[in-house]
Amino acid sequence: MSSCFIVDTDGGTDDALALLMLIGMGRVPDAITTCFGNVGLEQATVNILDTLAVVQRDIPVHAGAARPLVGPLVDATDVHGHDGLGGIARPPRRAALASRDGVGYLRAQLHQACAGGAAVDLLMLGPLTNLARVLESEPELAKGINRLWVMGGTCRGRGNVTVSAEFNIYCDPEAAEVVFGLPINTLVVPWEPCLQTAVPGAALEGVLARLPKGGLWDFVRGISDHGRQLSRRWYDEDNLIMPDPLAAACVLDAEVSTRTMVCGYLVETAGTVSRGATFVDHEAKTTRPAVAIVEKADRTKLEKLFEMSLQKLASCQ
């Protein structure tokens, strides 16, 4: 039986590129749920609708969680810009929102899957709050998930928002603890391989030079320029770090991941330095369900998928 593919996103710059990659390569989501994270829920939702408008695709978008399960609301506007898309120009029109109950939508799809309907494939690009709100009350619905991909956490303890925590997990550690505590067929794409597969500015210039000018070109140019500027400021390197596109690439081609470990994955929900940190249970010292965690990935495959997806999108415009 075919699966229902849902993307859950907090609507930042790399989320937009990941969506373009998926759509361009024909892995079009059946629906999208949005969440707070890079920006607030309302802006994240607008950003996804605008991204879809750039490529003239009508995919149902359901607004979900506006706050974490526990703790204060945080965002990453210092990274993604005040609007979450680096301040780039927007398309003149966008589609209407499908609903404001993303959690209810996920719950309904998982109920259907457990009742014999299409199993659910989920790609989580932001905090895990929407899914956790479903599973904390009905953990048995995890059986409706065929495959779960998560961009989040670390595999060697290198945080990107604190010294130990990656942003998506830091936004809602309690939600991540719920999700990683259940036996789900999960692939985690942590922060370190995202750094390892950062695309050089020269390679991006080549991609853009081979892409016809137009609305898509402008959109990708604006986002990539914003990301490259951040990389130059933080790391003194002209690169574009693409965490969410790397996760999308793993959905499209399992061979993008070149080294993976299978272990339990724990989340710290307390601590002044370690809140939101993730820990790999290498020696099975806990009863935590095992997940696959990407350690290394193929940057060349990521670049090729990215360019191929943009070329295919451009040919349809």
Side-chain angles (χ1 to χ4, degrees):
M1 180 178 292
S2 61
S3 60
C4 172
F5 181 42
I6 302 170
V7 173
D8 189 277
T9 168
D10 55 345
T13 51
D14 59 326
D15 302 70
L17 296 180
L19 270 179
L20 295 181
M21 179 183 290
L22 291 166
I23 294 169
M25 296 305 295
R27 191 73 154 97
V28 182
D30 294 291
I32 299 169
T33 51
T34 59
C35 184
F36 75 93
N38 291 322
V39 286
L41 173 65
E42 294 302 317
Q43 187 65 57
T45 305
V46 166
N47 290 352
I48 295 307
L49 291 170
D50 282 347
T51 300
L52 295 177
V54 168
V55 290
Q56 301 170 20
R57 295 301 178 102
D58 186 11
I59 299 171
V61 178
H62 303 265
R67 299 193 62 82
L69 298 183
V70 178
L73 184 67
V74 299
D75 64 41
T77 53
D78 58 325
V79 176
H80 297 267
H82 71 282
D83 67 345
L85 289 182
I88 63 174
R90 305 295 180 117
R93 297 182 183 85
R94 67 177 69 102
L97 191 63
S99 86
R100 291 191 172 275
D101 189 13
V103 174
Y105 172 78
L106 281 177
R107 190 185 307 275
Q109 295 303 309
L110 291 173
H111 269 289
Q112 289 180 22
C114 289
V120 176
D121 286 340
L122 269 170
L123 170 60
M124 310 293 293
L125 300 178
L128 302 182
T129 313
N130 285 332
L131 182 58
R133 285 189 173 179
V134 175
L135 297 180
E136 68 176 343
S137 59
E138 298 182 83
E140 67 278 7
L141 292 182
K143 295 177 182 178
I145 300 174
N146 175 59
R147 191 72 193 274
L148 175 66
W149 295 267
V150 175
M151 190 283 121
T154 71
C155 59
R156 289 186 289 277
R158 180 172 180 170
N160 65 357
V161 63
T162 71
V163 295
S164 58
E166 181 275 331
F167 178 79
N168 285 345
I169 306 302
Y170 181 78
C171 278
D172 196 343
E174 285 76 14
E177 179 69 4
V178 169
V179 173
F180 292 130
L182 293 170
I184 302 171
N185 181 16
T186 302
L187 179 75
V188 178
V189 180
W191 175 242
E192 292 91 342
C194 300
L195 284 176
Q196 174 235 323
T197 55
V199 179
L204 285 165
E205 289 297 335
V207 170
L208 288 165
R210 293 183 290 272
L211 191 68
K213 295 290 182 68
L216 177 64
W217 189 96
D218 293 339
F219 191 76
V220 175
R221 164 61 81 182
I223 287 178
S224 60
D225 283 354
H226 177 80
R228 290 165 65 183
Q229 183 179 25
L230 292 173
S231 180
R232 286 190 289 266
R233 185 195 312 163
W234 295 337
Y235 303 112
D236 197 28
E237 295 178 345
D238 180 16
N239 289 330
L240 180 63
I241 304 168
M242 301 206 298
D244 291 343
L246 179 58
C250 289
V251 173
L252 295 167
D253 181 357
E255 293 186 359
V256 168
S257 172
T258 57
R259 191 165 80 189
T260 303
M261 56 182 164
V262 179
C263 303
Y265 206 48
L266 294 86
V267 183
E268 178 58 68
T269 57
T272 56
V273 175
S274 58
R275 177 169 168 78
T278 46
F279 298 92
V280 179
D281 184 8
H282 290 281
E283 299 179 359
K285 294 183 181 298
T286 71
T287 58
R288 179 59 51 120
V291 300
I293 305 165
V294 176
E295 290 187 273
K296 288 188 176 181
D298 190 324
R299 193 191 78 196
T300 300
K301 280 188 168 64
L302 172 62
E303 289 179 17
K304 288 181 178 178
L305 282 169
F306 183 56
E307 178 166 8
M308 190 182 305
S309 66
L310 295 179
Q311 290 289 350
K312 290 184 176 184
L313 288 171
S315 70
C316 297
Q317 292 191 321

